[in-house]
């Protein structure tokens, strides 16, 4: 349980808020690279209660600007995108990707007014098919280093990125992603416990009917450990076979401020982020990375189709879900009654988003009752409140994974079946780990 004040601190993200100050110390995903075509329509980028606009100019440069025109505030999302700049519809001012005002056509011909004005422009990086920006305080050295995720420079064939509008505060999404205990309930329809995968090293496999996992245990024991980037935790369960000797270990990482990695089916790695648009909406970015090989077009369609995240089918053009609050996530009660579906909701991520959105846009956590199975959720909030306090004293957040030592491949989710006597940390920590257990990484 949190106090009302702590809940407010954790969830409010706009300018001038405590969490807003913390989140502004990090690079943020904003739009997908393919949402921006050269000379194409600019895109509104709502981010932490602020209004930005992104566009790609004639030469391919991405501009990330304040959405409102520096003249008298018309939205530059309406602007024409022509010859290396946005031309505001209202009085024709033209603004380049780096915020220079290069034309003020209604002003006298000899006026140098435009040279004295700039629109605010933010730094951008394109990586992993996503345009990232940094809107926080700048030091003399510029923005902080960009996190080179392991898929940052991977070719598109190796990455699947889903971007989904979520009608809930960002924290509800992050909480759901560090909550291993719900797997045995909310997603039970998609998970089948088999001795086969238990015998094959305990790594979840994707089949055409769902996921095969090595455990049916619904009572994981959680162990949580702080790290310099946030924390990591293991959910320890009884495997379907040899439970007297072995345990099924699932390790996830919370990477501040809003990323979670968790075990992914064989040959892939997962990362989920919940990026606040404002206090009551967020975008979920679900990144799947092929650690070995690439995704065929067929595989891509299969993965997205089964997740219920197929663009144009399950998602609208602006990343909305066809299963949403307004239609009760298309919950099918007859499928629940017949036993065909536990939730009546199609697709694992849709099940997550349904329960997270069902709590209301900002859940009042002074009303909750937390148990042992919520240990990772509790730690995430605590780490973030500690970081907020630090930033509140004028310091830089110390929850930073992205310095020169950043080793993103070490932050992959991991699962295996291991002897009860083996510590879970030793399974992922460097040379002490037995070589065989590394085969199941990711
Ligand atoms: S408001 Fe944009 S040119 Fe006047
Ligand atoms: Fe889930």
């Amino acid at each position: 349980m949190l106090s009302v004040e702590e809940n407010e601190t954790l969830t409010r993200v706009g300018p001038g808020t405590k969490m807003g100050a913390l989140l502004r110390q990090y690079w943020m995903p904003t739009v997908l690279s393919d949402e921006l075509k050269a000379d194409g329509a600019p895109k509104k980028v709502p981010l932490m209660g602020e209004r930005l606009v992104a566009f790609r100019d004639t030469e391919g440069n991405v501009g990330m600007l304040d959405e409102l025109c520096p003249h008298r505030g018309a939205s530059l999302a309406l602007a024409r995108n022509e010859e290396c700049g946005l031309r505001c519809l209202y009085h024709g001012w033209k603004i380049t990707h780096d915020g220079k005002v290069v034309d003020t056509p209604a002003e006298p011909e000899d006026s140098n007014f435009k040279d004295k004005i700039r629109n605010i422009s933010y730094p951008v990086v394109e990586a992993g098919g996503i345009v990232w920006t940094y809107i926080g305080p700048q030091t003399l050295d510029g923005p902080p280093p960009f996190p080179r995720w392991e898929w940052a420079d991977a070719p598109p064939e190796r990455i699947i990125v889903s971007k989904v509008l979520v009608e809930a505060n960002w924290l509800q999404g992050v909480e759901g992603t560090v909550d291993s205990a719900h797997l045995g309930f909310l997603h039970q329809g998609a998970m089948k416990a088999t001795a086969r995968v238990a015998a094959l090293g305990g790594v979840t496999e994707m089949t055409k009917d769902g996921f095969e996992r090595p455990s049916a245990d619904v009572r994981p024991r959680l162990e949580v450990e702080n790290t310099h980037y946030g924390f990591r935790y293991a959910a320890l369960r009884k495997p379907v076979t040899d439970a007297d000797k072995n345990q099924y270990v699932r390790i996830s990482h919370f990477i501040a401020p809003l990323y979670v990695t968790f075990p992914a089916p064989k040959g892939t790695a997962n990362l989920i982020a919940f990026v606040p648009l404002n206090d009551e909406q967020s975008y979920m970015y679900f990144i799947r990375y092929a650690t070995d090989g690439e995704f065929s077009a067929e595989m891509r369609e299969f993965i997205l189709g089964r997740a219920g995240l197929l663009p144009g089918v399950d998602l609208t053009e602006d990343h909305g879900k066809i299963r949403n609050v307004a239609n009760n996530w298309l919950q099918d009660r007859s499928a629940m009654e017949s036993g065909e579906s536990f939730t009546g909701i199609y697709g694992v991520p849709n099940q997550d988003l349904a329960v997270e959105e069902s709590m209301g846009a900002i859940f009042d956590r002074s009303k909750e009752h937390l148990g042992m199975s919520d240990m990772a959720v509790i730690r995430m909030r605590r780490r973030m409140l500690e970081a907020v306090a630090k930033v509140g004293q004028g310091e830089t957040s110390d929850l930073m994974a992205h310095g020169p030592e950043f080793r993103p491949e070490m932050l992959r989710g991991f699962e295996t079946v291991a002897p009860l006597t083996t510590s879970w940390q030793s399974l992922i920590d460097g040379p002490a780990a037995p070589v065989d257990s590394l085969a199941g990484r990711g």
Side-chain angles (χ1 to χ4, degrees), residues 69 71-74 76 88-93:
C69 175
H71 177 215
R72 278 174 40 209
L76 293 173
C88 179
L89 295 190
Y90 205 175
H91 314 91
W93 283 29

Side-chain angles (χ1 to χ4, degrees), residues 176 182-183 186-187 348 352:
H182 77 267
L183 296 188
L186 187 66
H187 305 316
V348 167
D352 290 311

Side-chain angles (χ1 to χ4, degrees), residues 18-146:
K18 294 176 187 170
M19 180 56 75
L22 173 64
L23 295 180
R24 279 166 178 73
Q25 296 199 348
Y26 298 85
W27 287 84
M28 290 283 163
T30 59
V31 294
L32 302 180
S33 285
D34 64 14
E35 289 184 71
L36 303 179
K37 308 275 185 251
D39 290 339
K43 288 275 169 197
K44 283 187 186 184
V45 176
L47 184 61
M48 298 186 276
E50 300 195 45
R51 293 175 65 177
L52 281 55
V53 66
F55 70 106
R56 195 182 297 278
D57 75 9
T58 316
E59 289 170 0
N61 303 304
V62 173
M64 187 70 67
L65 306 174
D66 251 17
E67 184 194 328
L68 304 186
C69 175
H71 177 215
R72 278 174 40 209
S75 170
L76 293 173
L78 289 172
R80 299 175 63 84
N81 184 5
E82 56 184 30
E83 292 158 55
C84 285
L86 290 183
R87 190 174 292 281
C88 179
L89 295 190
Y90 205 175
H91 314 91
W93 283 29
K94 185 168 174 184
I95 299 154
T96 59
H97 74 96
D98 50 0
K100 286 194 193 92
V101 178
V102 290
D103 199 13
T104 52
E107 295 302 306
E109 263 180 80
D110 57 352
S111 161
N112 65 352
F113 183 44
K114 63 178 170 30
D115 303 333
K116 299 178 193 148
I117 300 161
R118 276 187 95 101
N119 195 359
I120 298 174
S121 74
Y122 300 97
V124 291
V125 169
E126 283 195 87
I130 298 172
V131 177
W132 307 68
T133 195
Y134 175 82
I135 65 170
Q138 301 257 3
T139 64
L140 285 178
D141 304 329
F146 176 76

Side-chain angles (χ1 to χ4, degrees), residues 173-174 176-180 182-183 187 191 204 211 233 248 250-255 259-265 268-274 284-288 348-349 352 411-415 441-442:
V174 178
T177 323
V178 289
D179 169 28
S180 191
H182 77 267
L183 296 188
H187 305 316
M191 311 278 174
T204 299
F211 298 99
Y233 80 98
Y248 170 47
R250 283 177 69 84
I251 302 174
S252 300
H253 302 262
F254 167 70
I255 305 160
Y259 304 97
V260 182
T261 61
F262 53 98
T268 65
N270 279 343
L271 177 140
I272 285 187
F274 282 87
M284 176 182 79
Y285 287 85
F286 187 168
I287 293 148
R288 299 172 182 84
V348 167
D352 290 311
L411 301 183
R412 285 185 198 163
F414 177 83
E415 63 181 336
R441 198 183 279 282

